Amino acid sequence: MSGASATPEPQGHPFDRSAAQPVAADDGLDLWQLLAFLAARWPWLIGLPLLAAAATIAYSYRLAPSFTAVTTVLPPQQSQGAAIASLASLGALAGLGGGTAAPRAPAEQYVAMLQSATMADRIVDAFDLMRLHGHATRSAARGQVWGAVSIGIGKKDGLLAIEVTDGDPQRAADIANRFVAELRSMTNGMAMAEAKRRRQYYEGVLQEARDGLTQAQRALQATGFNASAIKAEPKAAADNYARLQSQLVLADVRLQALRGALTDNAPEVRQQQTTVNALRALVSSSESNARTAALDPPSGNAGSPDFISRYRDFKYHETLFEVYARQYESARADETRESTTIQVVDPATPPEIKSGPRRLAMATNVALIVGMITMLFILLIETIRRKGRTNRPVVSHGIPPSRL
C-alpha cells in the first residue's frame, strides 16, 4: 500500500523529538523520605560507629592509667594593716562620694598566679619534669604542667581547689601540695616587697614632714604669741584646715597608688577620685573663710592675719607629721611579719582510684563522630548520584548518544 499515508507516531512516544528535553529536576526529599532513606542504610550507620567504638575501647587498654589528686585551700587574705590605717586617718571623710570599702585581692588573682609561667617554671624545676617527660624546651614542659592541672573556685564556699592529674599517684599529690607551697612563697615575697616599698616611701615623706613642722614652729614662734593669746575660733579654724589638708594629701597618695595598679576606669579609682575632689573643695572653702576672716581680724595679736596664717601652717604640718608617723609604723610592722596566710583545708593525698582513661566517654565520643561522618558521606554520595541522573541526556530516535 504505497498510497497509504504513514501512520503518525503516537504522542509521547519515547523516541519522539518533543521528548528530547532534559528531565525535570527532582524536588528533593522531604523529612520522612530522608529518614526512610537513612533507615534503609542502617547497617552502615550503626555498624561503623560500633566498630569504631570497639576499636577505641581496645586502644584505651594500651594507655597508661592516670590519677587525680585534689587539695583545697582558703584563698589568702590581703594584709589590711595599711588600708585600715589609711581609713582611720581619713576618719568620717573616707566615705565621701559613696563610702568605698577597703580594697581586697579577689580569689581570681590567686588563680592567675597559680596559672602563671613563673609558677609553672617552679613546678618544672622542683620535679625535673623536662627530663621526666623528655621535653626539649621549657615551653613544652609548661604546657605539660598546664594540661595536667585544673584550678577552680567554689561558687558557694569560695575555696580554691587544685587538681593535678599524673600517672603516679604519689607524684600527683606532691605536685598539688607543691602548688600550695609555691603560692605561699610567692604571695609572701610580693607582700614583703610591697611593705618595704611603703616603708621606704613613708620614711622619706616623714622626714620631709618633720622638717616642715620644724620650720612652721619657728615661724609661729617668731610672731611672739603666747598660749593665752590663742583664741578658740582661730584655733578651731586652723585645726580644721590642717586636718583637711592632711586628709587631702593622704587621699591623693592613695589615688596614685590605685592608678599604679588599676586603670582610670576602675570603680576604685573613680571612687577615690571623687573623694579627692570633695576634699579639695573643702580645703578651698576653708581657705576662703580664712581670707574673709583676715580682712576683718579681731583685736589683739592672736587675731592678726600673720598669726592666723602661721598657726594654721603649724597645725597642718603637725597633723601631717602624726599621720605619716602612723603610716610609717604600720609599714614597718607589715614588713617584719608574714603578710599573707594560706590555710589548707584538705591537703592532697595519693589517690587510690584511677581517674583515667575514661573508656566509656572516649568510645561514646568516637561513635558519635563516626556516625555523623558516615551519615554525611551517604547523603553526599546520594546527592551526587541524583545530580548525575538528572543531567543525563535522553536518547533520540533510538540512537545512542555515542553514535550520533
Side-chain angles (χ1 to χ4, degrees):
M1 296 186 219
S2 58
S5 59
T7 303
E9 295 178 356
Q11 186 74 17
H13 194 272
F15 300 110
D16 189 9
R17 291 180 179 271
S18 62
Q21 302 294 332
V23 179
D26 194 358
D27 292 336
L29 299 175
D30 59 14
L31 178 60
W32 293 108
Q33 291 177 339
L34 179 61
L35 293 178
F37 173 78
L38 294 176
R41 290 154 179 81
W42 67 267
W44 293 97
L45 294 175
I46 297 180
L48 287 180
L50 289 179
L51 182 62
T56 302
I57 293 178
Y59 174 75
S60 65
Y61 281 97
R62 299 176 58 89
L63 300 176
S66 59
F67 301 86
T68 301
V70 182
T71 179
T72 306
V73 300
L74 182 67
Q77 302 297 321
Q78 186 181 20
S79 177
Q80 298 179 349
I84 293 176
S86 299
L87 292 178
S89 63
L90 290 177
L93 291 177
L96 285 178
T100 305
R104 61 180 181 88
E108 287 79 5
Q109 292 183 357
Y110 296 100
V111 173
M113 293 172 62
L114 289 169
Q115 295 174 345
S116 64
T118 301
M119 180 66 70
D121 288 339
R122 293 185 180 186
I123 298 299
V124 169
D125 295 336
F127 294 92
D128 197 12
L129 297 182
M130 293 187 64
R131 182 191 60 81
L132 180 64
H133 297 288
H135 296 300
T137 60
R138 183 169 287 272
S139 60
R142 292 195 198 106
Q144 178 80 21
V145 173
W146 290 330
V149 177
S150 176
I151 302 171
I153 305 174
K155 296 182 179 180
K156 295 183 179 180
D157 49 23
L159 298 179
L160 281 176
I162 304 174
E163 300 181 358
V164 178
T165 302
D166 194 86
D168 185 0
Q170 183 62 48
R171 185 167 58 239
D174 293 341
I175 293 177
N177 292 326
R178 189 56 180 259
F179 265 99
V180 178
E182 294 296 340
L183 178 62
R184 182 182 291 110
S185 175
M186 184 180 296
T187 53
N188 287 338
M190 295 174 62
M192 292 185 65
E194 195 274 337
K196 181 179 181 181
R197 182 188 61 82
R198 289 192 296 110
R199 192 262 303 166
Q200 293 175 349
Y201 170 77
Y202 284 117
E203 187 176 6
V205 297
L206 182 62
Q207 183 62 38
E208 295 178 359
R210 183 183 291 107
D211 296 339
L213 178 61
T214 302
Q215 295 178 3
Q217 183 177 358
R218 292 175 180 174
L220 181 61
Q221 291 175 350
T223 59
F225 80 100
N226 52 55
S228 60
I230 302 177
K231 297 183 179 180
E233 292 184 0
K235 182 178 184 300
D239 289 344
N240 182 60
Y241 179 80
R243 185 176 64 258
L244 291 176
Q245 280 280 19
S246 61
Q247 291 169 355
L248 176 60
V249 171
L250 287 177
D252 189 65
V253 169
R254 180 177 173 82
L255 176 62
Q256 298 302 324
L258 289 176
R259 283 179 173 174
L262 303 173
T263 61
D264 292 340
N265 294 328
E268 294 84 355
V269 176
R270 294 200 303 265
Q271 192 68 38
Q272 189 63 22
Q273 182 65 53
T274 303
T275 302
V276 171
N277 294 337
L279 287 172
R280 286 176 179 171
L282 292 177
V283 170
S284 300
S285 177
S286 179
E287 291 177 349
S288 300
N289 294 336
R291 286 193 295 267
T292 303
L295 295 177
D296 188 17
S299 59
N301 186 46
S304 63
D306 185 61
F307 167 76
I308 295 177
S309 176
R310 294 187 180 184
Y311 182 78
R312 183 180 61 191
D313 292 342
F314 170 76
K315 295 300 296 182
Y316 161 67
H317 285 91
E318 183 183 40
T319 305
L320 190 62
F321 177 79
E322 293 176 356
V323 171
Y324 281 151
R326 290 194 298 268
Q327 296 288 341
Y328 175 70
E329 294 299 330
S330 176
R332 287 185 58 186
D334 292 341
E335 188 180 11
T336 57
R337 72 185 178 193
E338 186 178 1
S339 300
T340 56
T341 302
I342 299 179
Q343 300 178 5
V344 179
V345 179
D346 292 323
T349 58
E352 300 177 354
I353 302 176
K354 294 184 298 183
S355 60
R358 300 177 179 176
R359 296 183 177 88
L360 181 59
M362 293 173 58
T364 303
N365 293 333
V366 171
L368 290 176
I369 294 174
V370 173
M372 186 66 65
I373 294 176
T374 303
M375 183 181 65
L376 293 177
F377 182 76
I378 291 176
L379 293 177
L380 178 62
I381 294 299
E382 179 65 16
T383 302
I384 295 176
R385 188 182 66 83
R386 283 177 173 270
K387 286 185 177 179
R389 185 178 61 187
T390 302
N391 298 328
R392 185 176 59 189
V394 179
V395 178
S396 300
H397 297 285
I399 304 176
S402 60
R403 296 183 179 181
L404 290 177

